[in-house]
Amino acid sequence: MRSVPALAEYCDLIKKHSKRNVKVFNFTNPAGVVSQTLRDMGYDFTYGICDAPSGMLRSFALLYNESPDNITGEVYGLNHLSYFKSITLNGKEIMPELIENDEAYAKTDMRYFSKELLRDRGAVLNEYLYYFYYREKAVENILNAEQTRGEQIRDINKNMTAELSKMDIENDFEGCMKIFNKWYGMREGSYMASETGAKRTVPWHFDIYEEDDGGYAGVALKFIEIAQSGTTGTMIMCVPNENSIDGLRADDVVEITCDVDAKGCKPHQIGKVDEQNLELIRRVKIYERLASKAIREKDRVSAIQALTLHPLVNSYSLACELVDEYIEHNKEYSKGWK
């Protein structure tokens, strides 16, 4: 409701003033809904990007003391709801041994899941699937936490900004970087900790002289690097399905491994996937399509339908209550909703 109108404005300006081969990378969450909505609005030069899958692959490579350049993964699903079908390191399939590797559950974001669940699903899961497979635990942990994630980020940003505002960034860059490192380290260290009860064990640090560890900027820059190199590379992106995953529509925006070159990107052919995984993907995809319709048409009924179907709401009465609260809380952005 808040971000799509602003992004659409940017897209209109870009469409008017940029070259025909322009590409827009959307990092704005919820990236699945935003990317679907922008595509539904006709902005076919937009691509959704999330650093969660690439971040997981990087952590797996480091677990094996290998360069992140040597690991690849076949991903399918939706943003924040995707599955690794395959993970290869130096050309060797490692996903079955990774699922059995106790160290992976201690040192990577596989920590949020049990080994039994990953065996059952036959896949390594995107960390956000924790909310679907451990729903009641997530709710209990969130309700018992001292702060919500939003409140944590708010306080971290306020405290960091307060410290930095007293410093001379022009003449004490190193000192300012230490302040940034301290507070951003707290942000990374507390990621999903309240919701899951599991904390990341590797301290976060940033060194301006070290190789970049990826993140959103790293994902976008990788696309540019591949496109300008004249070669073909692979990336995990949010793009139209184009019949790559059986059971989804061609225009469904999915999170999937793609071949990338100067012309754009093409999703890998995944075909049939596990029936249970597909059922969850399809349910949330219908929610995303209805959410897109609600946002584009400012339609309360579509918004209620969307939340009624969402597995984490799954209630018409609760959906009505939530939608009315959303519209009221965001009335500055929700003018014209009907």
Side-chain angles (χ1 to χ4, degrees):
M1 291 167 65
R2 296 192 301 265
S3 58
V4 167
L7 288 164
E9 247 184 279
Y10 282 123
C11 285
D12 282 334
L13 287 169
I14 290 163
K15 195 173 183 179
K16 182 178 178 181
H17 297 291
S18 297
K19 294 180 180 179
R20 288 187 177 180
N21 63 346
V22 66
K23 294 173 181 61
V24 170
F25 298 100
N26 168 59
F27 307 112
T28 308
N29 277 319
V33 173
V34 172
S35 299
Q36 183 69 57
T37 308
L38 291 176
R39 285 276 177 165
D40 289 344
M41 295 173 80
Y43 302 117
D44 58 1
F45 49 84
T46 58
Y47 299 84
I49 285 182
C50 181
D51 64 344
S54 58
M56 285 194 83
L57 287 176
R58 177 183 173 81
S59 69
F60 298 151
L62 297 178
L63 184 70
Y64 283 85
N65 295 313
E66 290 279 354
S67 166
D69 294 334
N70 298 333
I71 195 165
T72 59
E74 287 292 328
V75 170
Y76 70 90
L78 309 178
N79 176 244
H80 292 174
L81 200 159
S82 56
Y83 299 81
F84 281 94
K85 182 181 180 181
S86 167
I87 299 171
T88 57
L89 184 63
N90 294 317
K92 176 192 172 188
E93 177 62 59
I94 64 165
M95 195 171 76
E97 67 180 76
L98 195 60
I99 290 174
E100 299 301 322
N101 188 337
D102 291 336
E103 200 177 2
Y105 295 88
K107 294 184 176 179
T108 76
D109 285 345
M110 280 169 57
R111 64 173 56 85
Y112 306 127
F113 307 105
S114 71
K115 189 180 293 186
E116 290 73 20
L117 173 61
L118 269 59
R119 284 174 181 160
D120 179 66
R121 294 296 83 232
V124 168
L125 311 183
N126 182 299
E127 67 255 38
Y128 288 97
L129 278 165
Y130 171 83
Y131 296 104
F132 293 89
Y133 289 112
Y134 298 87
R135 181 177 61 178
E136 76 290 346
K137 291 184 178 180
V139 171
E140 183 181 4
N141 289 335
I142 290 167
L143 292 176
N144 290 333
E146 292 182 7
Q147 289 184 304
T148 65
R149 182 60 173 165
E151 289 167 336
Q152 288 176 358
I153 300 301
R154 177 201 63 195
D155 290 350
I156 287 170
N157 287 349
K158 279 186 176 180
N159 290 323
M160 181 174 67
T161 303
E163 280 200 57
L164 288 173
S165 65
K166 299 173 185 175
M167 301 185 70
D168 183 356
I169 194 168
E170 298 295 336
N171 297 306
D172 188 16
F173 178 77
E174 295 297 336
C176 291
M177 282 301 302
K178 286 180 181 177
I179 299 299
F180 171 78
N181 274 331
K182 178 181 77 172
W183 289 105
Y184 200 85
M186 289 183 189
R187 175 185 174 125
E188 289 296 295
S190 60
Y191 174 73
M192 287 186 71
S194 297
E195 298 88 341
T196 66
K199 291 186 177 182
R200 288 179 168 177
T201 54
V202 179
W204 184 89
H205 82 284
F206 172 74
D207 188 328
I208 198 168
Y209 302 107
E210 288 183 359
E211 183 181 349
D212 183 58
D213 66 351
Y216 287 131
V219 178
L221 289 169
K222 184 178 179 182
F223 188 103
I224 295 168
E225 184 180 33
I226 293 170
Q228 292 188 343
S229 70
T231 60
T232 299
T234 60
M235 290 184 63
I236 300 163
M237 302 178 68
C238 296
V239 298
N241 181 46
E242 296 181 5
N243 302 314
S244 57
I245 304 170
D246 289 356
L248 297 177
R249 289 180 5 186
D251 61 348
D252 282 340
V253 171
V254 296
E255 185 166 86
I256 194 167
T257 305
C258 302
D259 287 332
V260 175
D261 59 24
K263 296 178 182 178
C265 63
K266 184 173 180 57
H268 285 190
Q269 187 64 35
I270 300 296
K272 288 186 178 180
V273 299
D274 180 275
E275 187 177 44
Q276 292 183 49
N277 297 351
L278 179 63
E279 180 65 24
L280 183 56
I281 292 167
R282 281 172 53 85
R283 188 80 179 266
V284 176
K285 189 67 248 179
I286 296 170
Y287 150 78
E288 289 187 351
R289 288 203 302 261
L290 286 166
S292 168
K293 183 175 186 290
I295 293 164
R296 286 181 286 115
E297 300 179 7
K298 297 188 175 183
D299 180 30
R300 176 179 174 271
V301 172
S302 296
I304 290 170
Q305 291 173 346
L307 289 182
T308 299
L309 274 174
H310 197 290
L312 301 185
V313 179
N314 203 33
S315 162
Y316 173 76
S317 56
L318 186 56
C320 291
E321 184 181 336
L322 285 169
V323 168
D324 288 340
E325 285 189 19
Y326 283 153
I327 292 172
E328 174 61 26
H329 186 70
N330 296 287
K331 54 189 173 186
E332 182 183 347
Y333 307 93
S334 58
K335 292 172 184 175
W337 274 71
K338 55 190 184 295

